[in-house]
Amino acid sequence: SQPISKARTQNAAGDCGTSISVPVASTATGNLIIVALGNDSDTTVLSVTDNAPGGSNTYVQAVARGTTGDPHGSSHLWYAKNSKSGATSVTATFAASNCTKQIIVAEYSGVDTVSPLDQTQSNNSGFTSSGSWTSNSTAATIQANELLIGIGFQFYAKTGPVWTPGT
């Protein structure tokens, strides 16, 4: 399934705060909305909401990546299944102020509207002090034509990860 819309934003330098928002193309009914978040600390994400008419879609946290002692970033993945139509903005709220944060939103059609998530995998090792990414996590597909989502955020001037698809 190809995304039918995508949006990305990063806060401006020095724009510290507990939330970040991104405008999105008006969402459609019955889709899957994926929200990937990155921040420069191990601060948790309290909520993800949107401005759909009649009330926000319900966002569920799929993956919260802690930093295992390295306070230089964490990644979070949230989703809303069987979306309502008409949302034009998505907002994430963090538990504490962050000065570097990013949000990426993608909307997919044709995904199971009842149970779109059948597994998660998280690599809590992340970026090493030597300037390389660890690679110790895999997720095997269970069915044909599965949608795989991978996220990784890079906040510093080092080379980011190379994603290698399996067979």
Side-chain angles (χ1 to χ4, degrees):
S1 180
Q2 293 291 320
I4 56 173
S5 69
K6 298 178 277 189
R8 177 181 183 269
T9 193
Q10 181 170 336
N11 67 300
D15 181 17
C16 301
T18 57
S19 66
I20 186 169
S21 296
V22 63
V24 297
S26 184
T27 58
T29 301
N31 289 342
L32 175 67
I33 303 171
I34 300 287
V35 180
L37 299 153
N39 59 299
D40 67 351
S41 70
D42 61 359
T43 303
T44 59
V45 176
L46 297 176
S47 66
V48 174
T49 58
D50 63 36
N51 65 345
S56 177
N57 283 290
T58 301
Y59 289 86
V60 177
Q61 184 172 319
V63 175
R65 185 223 175 241
T67 60
T68 63
D70 179 8
H72 294 107
S74 59
S75 301
H76 312 268
L77 188 66
W78 290 64
Y79 70 96
K81 63 183 181 181
N82 198 18
S83 64
K84 299 178 197 176
S85 64
T88 58
S89 177
V90 175
T91 300
T93 302
F94 293 87
S97 181
N98 285 276
C99 293
T100 305
K101 50 195 173 292
Q102 294 182 26
I103 183 171
I104 299 170
V105 178
E107 182 179 4
Y108 294 87
S109 64
V111 179
D112 187 331
T113 59
V114 176
S115 183
L117 180 67
D118 64 4
Q119 62 178 313
T120 64
Q121 182 66 329
S122 177
N123 180 349
N124 286 333
S125 299
F127 200 70
T128 67
S129 60
S130 65
S132 63
W133 286 85
T134 59
S135 177
N136 64 0
S137 296
T138 60
T141 58
I142 298 172
Q143 304 171 42
N145 301 316
E146 284 200 275
L147 174 65
L148 299 176
I149 304 290
I151 62 170
F153 288 95
Q154 177 61 34
F155 292 105
Y156 303 100
K158 297 187 180 189
T159 304
V162 175
W163 299 93
T164 307
T167 56

